[in-house]
Structures are given as structure tokens and as C-alpha cells.
Amino acid sequence: MPFSNVAPGSRFASLAACLFCAAILHPLPAIAAVPAQAETAAAPISLDAALTLADEANIDVIRARLALKTAQANLRMADTSPNPAFSVNSTQIRPSQIGVVPYDRLADTVARVDLPLERGGKRRARTAAANALIDAAQDDLVSARRDMREAVYDAYFDLKAAEDRVRILQTIASSYADSLAIAGKQQHVGALSSGDLARQTVEAARARTDAAQSVTQWHAAQLALGTLIGREVQSDMLATTGDWPAPGGMNEQAADLIALRRPDVLAAQARTMAARRDVDGARALRHPDVTVGVQYERASGALGVGDSVGLGVSLPIPVRNRYIGEGEAAETALVQAEAEERKAISVATADILIARQALQEAVDRQRAFDTTQLPAARRAAEVAEFAYGHGATSLMELLDARRSLRAVELGAIDAQSDVANAIARLSAAETTGDDR
């Protein structure tokens, strides 16, 4: 007749405990098939290689490069004077003589060249604004690269965390499978109750489910990294290399001083400068441009004085349009640009302070796992395995110890991932435009 606990010194119970502790290298066939197959065709990639690929494939970086080229083209357009205009006219045409006399005796021919001359510093203001927008585009490119690096950094170590979870959960599932096989033999000979066997069966099924979910999350992490580096099709082959990153020393410089050198803040300052130059350009519109012209008139002596040259000057009269609207619009845009600059500085300063605090908290949490929680959970699991093998504790207490160890091990992986993400965020937050 089966009984509810394992007798002290039971050979089967001791064997079950030893198998659970020693089963770390036995993959669970139903769960490990997908990772093992992927590992065979894995293409390990370093973090630096991933960053290089992302710099070439990231759509935001590509868009920022194109925006810089556009700004440079706009400068060439701005730093150009208006083209002269050439015209040919016929004057003093006598309709009654059409078809009767040759054309050179019928009308005068006037060839004229008119050249607009900008006044009030329009070209200077226009060129200065275009130069400022080039500076803004360059800083936008640095900012796009900064955001790209942070995203790749996060995705890379999310994948590393997913790989660690797969390894741990498959090890646990494999251990439960081996323990369940021993428990079945125990129940068959009457050394284990049906209830305890059912509990172990439930735990083994839960471990298989967790391992299967970890594989799904692992593939999702592969795809997330593959999308960032332009390797979506080959994402199922991606694997990380190297160890987890270690936090370096904190930057002791004041956050507000670093914020003033951040690329997004520099871009906002450059746009403010461009808005000021646009105001100058709008005010310069109040100075009318002068158009000077020179002409050559070819005429028959019978019609007038003969061939002659002439000069002309034209000047618009600012009676209806005095460009008041353009000036008001430019000044409003300047106020908005100044507000955006102040906002960028505030956001950058807060971002740095929050990133520093988040990294410190993540490091403290990881240290707590490494120095306290993990050793304690492993010791508790070892004691529970030993006690259960010698009949000194119940199966429920053993399963609780196993669950606690699994939760702590997964928590330690999350803590390492949090540290990596915090390092990436702080690095991005403290990135300056010095490498522009």
C-alpha cells in the first residue's frame, strides 16, 4: 500500500535527489529541440559588430543623413544671388507697312538684360540661417546614432538574457523530467504516494511550459535585434557573445553642464540661431530690391536715331505689402524655438539624473542577488533536497524550495539585464555632440 512520505534511507528517494542536482547537462527533448537546432546554425555576433550593422541599416540614422544632405543643398541655394533676366522686344511696329518693307525697316529690336540687386542683408541672413540648420542637422545625426546605439545595446542584452532564461528553464525542465521518471518507479514499488506523484507531474508540466515560453521569448528577442541591424530574415541565427557589461565609474560632472553639450540640445540651440537669422531676413524684406537693366536697341535710321543703348532702374513701391506678416511669423517662430531649446535642456538634465539613479539602483539590486539571494536560495534548495531524500521534509516543501530557487535565478538574470539597460541609458543620456 503506498504511503505519503519517503522512508528514511530510501534508496529511491536518495537517487531522486541526486538526479535533480546532477541533471544540469541533460536537455529536455521536447523543449530543447528548437534551441539546439538554432545553436547548430547560430551566427554569434559581437556588440560592436551589431552597432556597425545598425549604423548602416537603421532607418532613423539614414533619414538623419539625408536630412543633413538636404540642409547642405539648402545652403547652396541660400548662398546664391538672383539670376539676371534677358529679354528681346520689338518696338515701333507700323502695322500698315507689314509685308511691304523689310523687318529691319518695319520695327526696332531691343535686347535687354535686367539684374536684381538684393538690399538689406537678405542673402547674408538667408545664408546664416542655412548654416545654422546644417549645424542642427549634424547634431540630429549624432542624436539619431545615440538613440540607435541605445536601442541596439538594449536589444543585444535582452537577447543575452533570453538565452540565459532558456538555458536555466530547460535545465529545470530536464531535472523535473528525470525526477518524475524516478518518482514513477517509486510509486510503482509503493515507495511514493499517488498524490505526491501527481504533484511532481504537475510541476514537470509547468516546467515544460515555462521552457517553451522562454523559447518563444528568445526568438522574439532575436527578431528585435535582427530588425535593428537589418538582419530580419536571418534573425533566428543570431546569438550573443561575451559577458555581461560591468558598470564603470560615474561621471562626476554636473548634469546640467553635460546637458548643454548633448546633441539634441545643440540641435535646438542651432534652430534657435536659424530662427534669429530668419527674423533678420524678414526685416530685410522692408528694404526693396533694386533691379538695374541695360539694353541695346537696333533701329533703322529712317525710323529714329539709329542703333542706341540705354540704362534703367526699377524699384518696387511698398504701398500694399510691407511684409509685416512675414516679420510677425518669423518672430513667433523665434519664440517657439527658444521655448523648445529651454525644454530640451530641461529634458536632457532630467534624463541624465534619472539615468544615473536607475543605474545605481540596478547595480544595488544585482549585488543583492549575487551576494545574498542566490547563495541563500541555492543553499535552501540543497538542504530541501537532502532533507527530502532522507524523509525529513515533505514533497510540498521540496517543491517550494525548487520554485524559490528558479524565481531567484530568473530574477538574477533580470537584474543583470536591468544593469545592462541602465548602462545603455546612461551612456545615451551623457552622450555629447563633441564627436560630431
Side-chain angles (χ1 to χ4, degrees):
M1 181 176 179
F3 43 90
S4 60
N5 206 347
V6 181
S10 170
R11 180 177 60 187
F12 294 108
S14 300
L15 181 60
C18 292
L19 281 174
F20 180 81
C21 296
I24 58 173
L25 298 179
H26 296 281
L28 182 64
I31 303 303
V34 175
Q37 180 181 2
E39 186 178 354
T40 302
I45 183 173
S46 66
L47 177 60
D48 291 338
L51 292 171
T52 300
L53 290 173
D55 190 62
E56 299 173 354
N58 186 270
I59 187 61
D60 293 329
V61 175
I62 294 174
R63 187 183 295 117
R65 288 198 191 100
L66 295 177
L68 176 57
K69 290 184 177 180
T70 300
Q72 292 169 342
N74 289 337
L75 173 61
R76 287 191 288 272
M77 291 187 293
D79 194 17
T80 304
S81 298
N83 288 322
F86 174 75
S87 61
V88 178
N89 302 286
S90 295
T91 61
Q92 298 188 24
I93 299 176
R94 293 178 292 176
S96 62
Q97 299 298 316
I98 296 177
V100 177
V101 299
Y103 174 77
D104 59 349
R105 297 179 59 189
L106 175 67
D108 293 348
T109 300
V110 179
R112 182 177 181 89
V113 176
D114 291 296
L115 178 63
L117 300 178
E118 292 182 304
R119 299 175 61 241
K122 296 182 182 66
R123 179 177 176 180
R124 182 173 60 253
R126 188 171 63 238
T127 303
N131 274 314
L133 291 178
I134 288 179
D135 293 339
Q138 289 174 334
D139 290 317
D140 285 340
L141 178 57
V142 176
S143 185
R145 283 183 171 142
R146 179 200 64 174
D147 295 340
M148 175 272 295
R149 292 178 65 86
E150 181 182 9
V152 172
Y153 203 101
D154 287 344
Y156 188 87
F157 288 105
D158 284 347
L159 176 57
K160 181 175 285 292
E163 292 169 347
D164 288 349
R165 291 190 193 98
V166 168
R167 185 181 66 255
I168 289 177
L169 291 176
Q170 283 190 340
T171 299
I172 293 172
S174 178
S175 301
Y176 271 113
D178 291 339
S179 297
L180 185 60
I182 299 300
K185 295 179 181 180
Q186 288 180 297
Q187 199 272 340
H188 181 70
V189 300
L192 187 70
S193 69
S194 299
D196 285 348
L197 178 61
R199 293 187 185 95
Q200 293 202 41
T201 302
V202 171
E203 291 297 323
R206 179 182 299 173
R208 288 196 300 270
T209 300
D210 291 342
Q213 290 178 347
S214 71
V215 172
T216 301
Q217 296 169 353
W218 170 54
H219 286 310
Q222 286 180 313
L223 182 58
L225 178 60
T227 302
L228 290 174
I229 65 176
R231 295 293 185 271
E232 299 89 345
V233 178
Q234 302 88 9
S235 64
D236 58 345
M237 300 172 57
L238 293 176
T240 63
T241 62
D243 298 326
W244 288 94
M250 287 286 188
N251 191 340
E252 299 297 333
Q253 191 173 10
D256 55 346
L257 296 181
I258 298 177
L260 292 176
R261 305 200 317 274
R262 283 222 328 194
D264 50 345
V265 173
L266 295 177
Q269 293 173 343
R271 289 189 171 88
T272 300
M273 181 61 66
R276 291 194 180 100
R277 300 292 78 80
D278 286 338
V279 170
D280 295 339
R283 292 172 179 171
L285 292 175
R286 301 173 185 175
H287 301 272
D289 295 339
V290 176
T291 301
V292 297
V294 59
Q295 70 178 34
Y296 169 75
E297 182 174 358
R298 185 174 183 276
S300 172
L303 299 177
V305 297
D307 296 348
S308 62
V309 297
L311 301 173
V313 177
S314 65
L315 185 71
I317 303 175
V319 176
R320 296 181 176 178
N321 185 5
R322 298 187 178 182
Y323 302 102
I324 297 176
E326 287 81 350
E328 292 177 348
E331 290 173 355
T332 302
L334 174 59
V335 173
Q336 183 176 359
E338 291 173 340
E340 291 294 334
E341 179 184 343
R342 291 192 297 270
K343 178 182 177 182
I345 295 174
S346 299
V347 170
T349 303
D351 193 18
I352 294 172
L353 293 174
I354 294 173
R356 288 177 176 179
Q357 181 179 1
L359 177 58
Q360 186 61 54
E361 293 175 354
V363 169
D364 293 341
R365 187 162 55 251
Q366 182 189 19
R367 186 181 298 113
F369 272 101
D370 292 342
T371 61
T372 304
Q373 297 185 40
L374 267 176
R378 287 168 180 164
R379 178 59 181 165
E382 292 173 357
V383 171
E385 296 290 345
F386 181 83
Y388 181 74
H390 291 78
T393 188
S394 67
L395 177 63
M396 293 300 296
E397 292 175 332
L398 172 63
L399 295 178
D400 287 341
R402 291 176 177 177
R403 292 192 204 101
S404 297
L405 177 58
R406 177 177 62 185
V408 172
E409 288 178 334
L410 294 177
I413 295 176
D414 291 337
Q416 288 179 318
S417 179
D418 290 342
V419 170
N421 294 337
I423 292 174
R425 179 175 181 182
L426 181 58
S427 177
E430 294 184 345
T431 297
T432 64
D434 297 338
D435 57 350
R436 187 176 72 178

